[in-house]
Amino acid sequence: MAIAVEPQTRDRVVRRRRSRTAVIDCDIHNALPSDEAIRQYLPRRWRNHHRMFGLRGHIGCEYPRANPNAARHDSWPPSGLPAGSDLDFMREQLLDEWDMEFGILNCLIGAGRQQNLEFGAAFSQGLNDWQIEAWLEPEPRLRASVVIPYEDGELSAAEIDRVGNHPGFVQVLVAARTQQPLGRRKYWKMYEACERHDLPLGIHFGGNSGQPLTGGGWPNHYYEDHAGMPQAFQSQVISLVTEGVFERFPGLKVVLIEGGFAWLPPLMWRLDRSWKRLKEEVPGLSRLPSETIRRHFWLTTQPMEEPPRHEYLVQLLEQLDMDDRLLFATDYPHWDFDSPAQAIPPSLPREFRRGVMSENARSLYRFEAA
Amino acid sequence: MIDCDIHNQLPSLETLVPYLEEHWRAYIRESAFVGPDVNDYPEGTGIPARPGTTPPSGGPPGSDPGFLCAQTLDAWDLELGILNCTYWVQSVHNEYLASALATAINTWQAEHWLTADSRLRASLVVPSQNPALAAQEIDRMGHHPGFVQVILPVRSWTPYGNRRFDPLYEAALRHDLVVGIHFGGSSGNPPTPCGWPSTYLEEYAGMSQVFQSQVLSLISEGTFDRYPGLRVALIEGGFTWMPSLMWRLDKEWRGLRRDIPWVKRPPSEYIREHIRLTLQPVDAPPQSRQMLEILEQMDGQDLLMYSSDYPHRHYDAPEEALPDQLPDLHWDRIGTENAREFYRL
């Protein structure tokens, strides 16, 4: 719950926060207020389709979430609209509350996992037009990720080309669980387009591609679905690096969103060792996997790593050696929200916190200085 | 020293023919079946065998008991060595054939390997795709003092915490056996949560994620709550990822424990109590100080068990089986005592 404070106290709190460090939130989720809201952005053929069939992604992957829409209990707006769908309430509860300089919207409405790819493309277009009109134009602090039908490289590239030059779009969004590992050829057109528009590729927690959620089959619980997501991220890093995607698209930048980062140092060690043994299978790689990772990847902080002892966090950050690649995120309005005031322990160096809270994102997404 | 991962290799399916009933002999002859469709260790990569491990008698590395004992038990002066036969009958979708093959392999191991040297112990191969049949096989052979473990491939059709595996765990407990989860297998599921990768390198490097998923499953399904005596060894999956997994599982458990109410303690406590990991391959950080950090973060001196992974090639010279990144002070635990306690040797 948001804590009620007297206006005066609140102003002081806000001022103190501002004097400490700017906040850029790299993971906010905007939702549709209703099905009807998107239909006006769809051409007649797909509007009818949406009315008749709704969304048809890969089904049979139901892990009832901890909360409705996985949202914080207090994030349901007084307007009665779904959590994350009311811009005024988002301003009040997030942007103003934390005095945010910028926030990046990652719209998770499933356009990328539609079985009907043509519909997925039309739905993506509709969502992006809706994002421009309903979010980016009315709120100058917000930026958004381009929603794409990511299981088809060409359709995705077309949508990136269509809206990629709009100044409000700062990233292209795919899900962590795709049909195939993201290094495979079928996704390359998408990376070409990312490079063309100088947009980072954001890989966000979630997705359902019809593949079992683990390499050992389908688990039973939401806890496994949720806590097991870093395994999907690890697989995507391995694939992108070993398929030589960064040799082909040297300008490509990848942001791993909501996947954690403590698993990355051991993955780099394992990949480096494995690559030394198996180099001949991937002759196109020009450098150590860990070097490629440190050049091309960024990671958001939420859900923040919380080792049992503070010194382990310090060790982890040193092993990771990517201080300038960590980006603060809240994951608003989801239940596992990270607070800008608490997520990054104040015992970490001030410069580090400044980088994570705002400056790393500022330079990646090219936001103007405060 | 006790070596927790030595691979004894079936020379070929032919070896098992004398141990099979006539029905299966004919079935194999008529179908030209050559064994499970698994390619965990492509021969040309060098990973399946270090140079010099091919027995003079012919046959693949790890197939000659005398030569294997000379290169492991004698050469490294081991007190005991645990054999892990990775003949994955789980990949044979005909469960009855898989079961017959497992029975044949275990009898062959008892006759051919456990009699070869008193320092050898072995692992039961079971058709775990059918836990009832697996339990039968464990009951058939589990009393043999040479078998100390039931071995399962990390890549399964269903995660190992699922209650369908309960009969297998009950049988393992009846015979006081460790359940070993080992690198590899081919269940038919893709090896990643995002489908099939292109290269062996991806599959090989990515196998750690499957281990992580299995640990997650065993804990969240309450397997250790149902079977407080259950011991699980993670073999050949690496270990430097373990601290990060413990932190993630503990944090998520605090947020989502109502989803799995039978899990009463932080997951890392279950891991420390029920799970051990073998040493090789060591995915070592660039600095030895960082290895010490990882060992401290995961209580490595208590959780790791020495393994050479003979004859696989994670290192070149035999003396490199002992990685120099590990500090001397832990060797009594990691080298011997952890395995002695865990396997009750």
Side-chain angles (χ1 to χ4, degrees), chain B residues 244-303:
Chain B
S244 63
L245 184 73
M246 287 176 168
W247 304 340
R248 168 71 44 206
L249 298 195
D250 283 2
K251 173 166 175 156
E252 300 262 349
W253 172 76
R254 288 196 294 273
L256 292 172
R257 60 191 185 279
R258 280 163 59 86
D259 195 42
I260 45 172
W262 42 85
V263 179
K264 301 289 186 207
R265 294 176 290 148
S268 63
E269 286 186 27
Y270 290 85
I271 292 172
R272 289 192 168 88
E273 189 177 325
H274 294 275
I275 292 178
R276 297 292 176 271
L277 303 95
T278 64
L279 191 65
Q280 289 286 359
V282 181
D283 299 310
Q287 299 174 36
S288 52
R289 175 173 51 82
Q290 295 170 328
M291 180 57 95
L292 291 178
E293 292 167 3
I294 292 288
L295 290 176
E296 195 206 319
Q297 291 165 6
M298 67 181 284
D299 292 329
Q301 73 282 4
D302 296 327
L303 299 196

Side-chain angles (χ1 to χ4, degrees), chain B residues 304-315:
Chain B
L304 294 175
M305 303 189 296
Y306 171 70
S307 66
S308 67
D309 198 16
Y310 177 91
H312 297 164
R313 186 179 187 177
H314 303 301
Y315 45 87

